[in-house]
Amino acid sequence: MGFSDLMDSVGGLGRFQFINSALLIIPSIIMASHTLMQNFSAAVPDHHCRIPNFTMTFVPHDGKNKPSRCLQFTEPQWHLLFLNQSVANTSGLQTEPCRYGWTYNKKEFNETIVTEWDLVCDLRHLKQMSQTVYMGGILAGAIILGGLSDKFGRRRILIFSYLKLAVSGTCTAFSPSFSVFCILRFVTGMAISGIILNAVSLNLEWIPIKSRTIMGAMNSFSSSTGQIALAGFAYVTRDWRTLQLVISVPIFFFFFYSWWIPESARWLIINKKPDEALKQIRRVARINGHVKEGEAITLEVLKEHIQQEVQSGKKIYTAIDLFHTPYMRKTTVCLMVLWCATSFGFYGLVMDLQRFGVSVFLVQVIFGAIDFPAKALCAFSMMFIGRRVTQAVLLLVPGLLILANAFVPYELQTLRTTLAVLGKGMLGASFTCIYMYTLELYPTVIRQTGMGFGSTMARVGSMTAPMVTMLEDYLYGLPLMVYGTLPVIAGVIAVFLPETLNMPLPETIDYVEAQRTKQHPALNSLSHNTPSCHLLTLIIFRAAH
């Protein structure tokens, strides 16, 4: 008997689990807004050179008969007042970069970071850089806070991250310069990472095995709700500073109530705090209406259930342990690719909504709405088909859709948007699956370290994605080709992972290795008794499993 049996004895999926899940899931609505807000806060409106005593005779037109965004004539061309520039020959006229700044069309947005700090023309790549800096913060948070969570506890790091996000997010709204904005966005990214990693664990570690998929899907649905809510917030505010405040100030409320959330009993047990773990378990039993069952659990009963956890608590684990044993090493390498590919493809699609040529507010709503059927099908598939097949399909199919979209002409905007929406929905569902899958593959002793490592690889993908959009300057469709290739590769790699459907959460590395060895006893025999001439056979066997 293990910890899962204790949870069943004190109510299983009861009142406590619903309250705890709600308190941890609601903030996810705001988390999604922080990650995707640059679709609106960094939107690029139509613009052209600002000319003193403005007259269009100073501004050349492009091939679509629109004022050039980055050039002006060196001298006034008065004769163009009487001609249509689309038919007039202006190729021989001298031009220069905008000398006095830019004039922006503020019909859709009153102010964005692009219009406030002139991030256009030669500085246009700074827009992508600011998103990369934010993703770099999430990367740093995954590296630092993932390990700290295993050392100091999930609850402490979660509370700290809520406060950090509330303060840094609010301060971002008052950034006096682009440099300060980027620094605060980096800090915000770190806080987001700490919240996501620990909220998911504190939620699922209290959930019974059979209910884990549904509760994990509910957490994912909150993120989709946040994407739709973001479109509404941005539509009403139309100003990046106001939008920043709208999605940051509510975090203070989450910080105050987060003190109610209990620490993970599994973590307390492993870190030699059985008395505190027993207290938390009895609290859960009381809230679930199983007081007698909770009182019947004593320290002796608790220790009887968690012998493996007590033994594992005698050793200190680091990220090196993710690669120390054969099956942990294989699992970690596969998950590295899956996390990176999912994030790379996902953010490649969702971080530049203006390229679809329709209202960014509408596209944001559609991108958020598609998640609900996609994630519902994902949850159904995970429950009845399994994690491995679901994960593979949710990477292979969207990868192929993105690759197909790379060859669709720009004029076919409806088809391009449809393919992108379907691909985005499946990649969003892939996030739902991979979060669950990773939690179930790693044992408790290094679960947060493994989650942090996976999140680190996801941030590598999300940091790279904005920069890939610059390839559009060299070849139309090239960014989509890159975005689609990696998920296809990852979908193939996903089949090498073990299935975890209806399996209890593993507690120790030894338990994981023993379980995998039972599933593949021939591999264990080969790995210990194989002469050098049979090395190729061993490699092939490992690849097949």
Side-chain angles (χ1 to χ4, degrees):
M1 297 179 68
F3 186 78
S4 297
D5 301 291
L6 281 178
M7 286 294 94
D8 290 335
S9 69
V10 295
L13 187 64
R15 187 184 301 116
F16 166 81
Q17 279 73 21
F18 284 109
I19 296 174
N20 189 58
S21 295
L23 294 179
L24 291 168
I25 287 174
I26 292 174
S28 298
I29 297 174
I30 301 296
M31 304 302 107
S33 296
H34 275 278
T35 300
L36 301 177
M37 68 167 290
Q38 283 206 202
N39 277 326
F40 305 99
S41 65
V44 183
D46 288 335
H47 55 276
H48 55 75
C49 296
R50 181 187 300 122
I51 305 297
N53 301 319
F54 176 77
T55 171
M56 290 301 292
T57 59
F58 274 94
V59 183
H61 284 205
D62 58 21
K64 297 180 180 180
N65 199 29
K66 292 183 178 181
S68 173
R69 291 187 166 195
C70 302
L71 296 174
Q72 66 179 56
F73 291 122
T74 56
E75 299 292 339
Q77 304 300 319
W78 300 111
H79 66 283
L80 295 178
L81 288 175
F82 308 100
L83 296 174
N84 186 336
Q85 282 202 34
S86 62
V87 297
N89 183 10
T90 60
S91 59
L93 302 177
Q94 291 187 345
T95 59
E96 62 182 350
C98 297
R99 190 187 307 172
Y100 305 104
W102 290 264
T103 296
Y104 298 95
N105 183 344
K106 295 192 176 183
K107 179 180 179 181
E108 197 168 33
F109 295 98
N110 296 328
E111 195 76 85
T112 70
I113 63 170
V114 171
T115 62
E116 182 161 340
W117 293 310
D118 289 332
L119 306 182
V120 294
C121 299
D122 291 342
L123 298 180
R124 67 185 183 279
H125 297 315
L126 291 180
K127 171 192 171 182
Q128 281 79 18
M129 190 195 78
S130 64
Q131 183 67 15
T132 297
V133 168
Y134 170 78
M135 293 299 180
I138 297 183
L139 171 61
I143 295 173
I144 298 171
L145 299 179
L148 291 179
S149 297
D150 282 333
K151 184 175 182 180
F152 296 105
R154 284 75 156 126
R155 180 175 176 271
R156 289 181 181 177
I157 301 301
L158 178 68
I159 294 173
F160 168 72
S161 297
Y162 277 137
L163 179 61
K164 187 177 180 181
L165 176 59
V167 173
S168 62
T170 302
C171 290
T172 301
F174 302 97
S175 300
S177 66
F178 179 69
S179 299
V180 174
F181 172 82
C182 287
I183 292 172
L184 290 172
R185 286 286 285 169
F186 182 87
V187 176
T188 298
M190 288 188 66
I192 292 284
S193 190
I195 293 171
I196 292 174
L197 288 174
N198 292 286
V200 171
S201 290
L202 283 173
N203 187 9
L204 295 184
E205 287 188 4
W206 287 105
I207 301 295
I209 296 173
K210 294 181 179 180
S211 305
R212 208 182 297 151
T213 302
I214 292 295
M215 299 308 292
M218 291 300 296
N219 182 72
S220 184
F221 285 144
S222 67
S223 175
S224 303
T225 303
Q227 295 177 44
I228 297 174
L230 173 63
F233 297 151
Y235 185 82
V236 172
T237 58
R238 306 290 180 121
D239 177 86
W240 79 267
R241 293 184 186 272
T242 306
L243 177 61
Q244 184 71 45
L245 286 173
V246 167
I247 64 176
S248 297
V249 173
I251 306 296
F252 284 105
F253 174 67
F254 304 147
F255 164 71
F256 289 124
Y257 78 55
S258 65
W259 292 87
W260 181 91
I261 298 170
E263 180 56 271
S264 164
R266 295 173 185 268
W267 181 87
L268 291 170
I269 292 167
I270 289 173
N271 286 271
K272 303 176 183 178
K273 298 180 180 181
D275 292 332
E276 182 62 25
L278 180 60
K279 179 181 176 182
Q280 296 294 353
I281 291 172
R282 287 178 173 175
R283 179 191 180 196
V284 171
R286 185 176 66 255
I287 296 174
N288 282 346
H290 290 259
V291 178
K292 291 183 179 180
E293 290 83 350
E295 293 298 328
I297 300 175
T298 63
L299 281 177
E300 290 71 23
V301 174
L302 184 60
K303 290 178 181 178
E304 181 182 344
H305 281 71
I306 45 95
Q307 285 299 317
Q308 285 187 332
E309 291 91 328
V310 172
Q311 291 298 320
S312 65
K314 297 178 180 179
K315 180 181 177 181
I316 297 175
Y317 294 89
T318 65
I320 297 175
D321 292 290
L322 297 173
F323 301 91
H324 188 65
T325 56
Y327 281 103
M328 290 303 301
R329 180 165 55 249
K330 169 188 164 184
T331 297
T332 299
V333 171
C334 290
L335 287 176
M336 285 171 61
V337 179
L338 266 61
W339 276 97
C340 184
T342 299
S343 184
F344 181 71
F346 180 86
Y347 287 105
L349 288 177
V350 303
M351 287 312 303
D352 189 14
L353 302 186
Q354 287 184 300
R355 69 171 176 266
F356 295 108
V358 294
S359 169
V360 290
F361 305 105
L362 177 61
V363 176
Q364 182 67 60
V365 170
I366 295 173
F367 268 30
I370 191 63
D371 279 357
F372 290 96
K375 291 177 179 178
L377 289 173
C378 171
F380 179 86
S381 178
M382 285 194 293
M383 286 190 294
F384 297 101
I385 299 177
R387 276 62 160 153
R388 179 169 54 187
V389 173
T390 301
Q391 186 66 75
V393 170
L394 291 176
L395 285 166
L396 277 169
V397 175
L400 294 173
L401 289 173
I402 296 171
L403 286 174
N405 210 359
F407 300 98
V408 176
Y410 180 81
E411 292 75 19
L412 301 178
Q413 293 180 350
T414 301
L415 179 58
R416 293 174 64 246
T417 304
T418 300
L419 291 174
V421 167
L422 293 174
K424 185 269 177 186
M426 297 191 74
L427 286 172
S430 178
F431 267 123
T432 301
C433 186
I434 197 170
Y435 267 108
M436 181 80 64
Y437 207 3
T438 302
L439 283 169
E440 294 176 339
L441 285 169
Y442 283 124
T444 300
V445 292
I446 55 169
R447 184 166 295 126
Q448 283 305 98
T449 302
M451 283 292 294
F453 199 80
S455 183
T456 297
M457 296 309 302
R459 298 321 136 199
V460 171
S462 60
M463 286 175 64
T464 310
M467 296 303 180
V468 173
T469 59
M470 300 178 191
L471 296 176
E472 193 80 40
D473 296 340
Y474 304 98
L475 177 65
Y476 171 76
L478 183 57
L480 291 176
M481 296 179 197
V482 179
Y483 291 139
T485 301
L486 190 55
V488 170
I489 295 173
V492 175
I493 292 175
V495 302
F496 294 111
L497 288 169
E499 182 54 69
T500 60
L501 178 62
N502 292 328
M503 298 290 289
L505 287 177
E507 306 294 349
T508 66
I509 293 177
D510 291 339
Y511 175 84
V512 171
E513 293 295 323
Q515 288 295 106
R516 301 295 176 252
T517 302
K518 288 179 182 179
Q519 295 173 9
H520 306 293
L523 177 58
N524 187 52
S525 175
L526 277 169
S527 61
H528 287 87
N529 303 293
T530 303
S532 58
C533 63
H534 290 160
L535 180 59
L536 180 59
T537 304
L538 174 62
I539 294 173
I540 294 173
F541 192 96
R542 287 187 184 277
H545 293 81

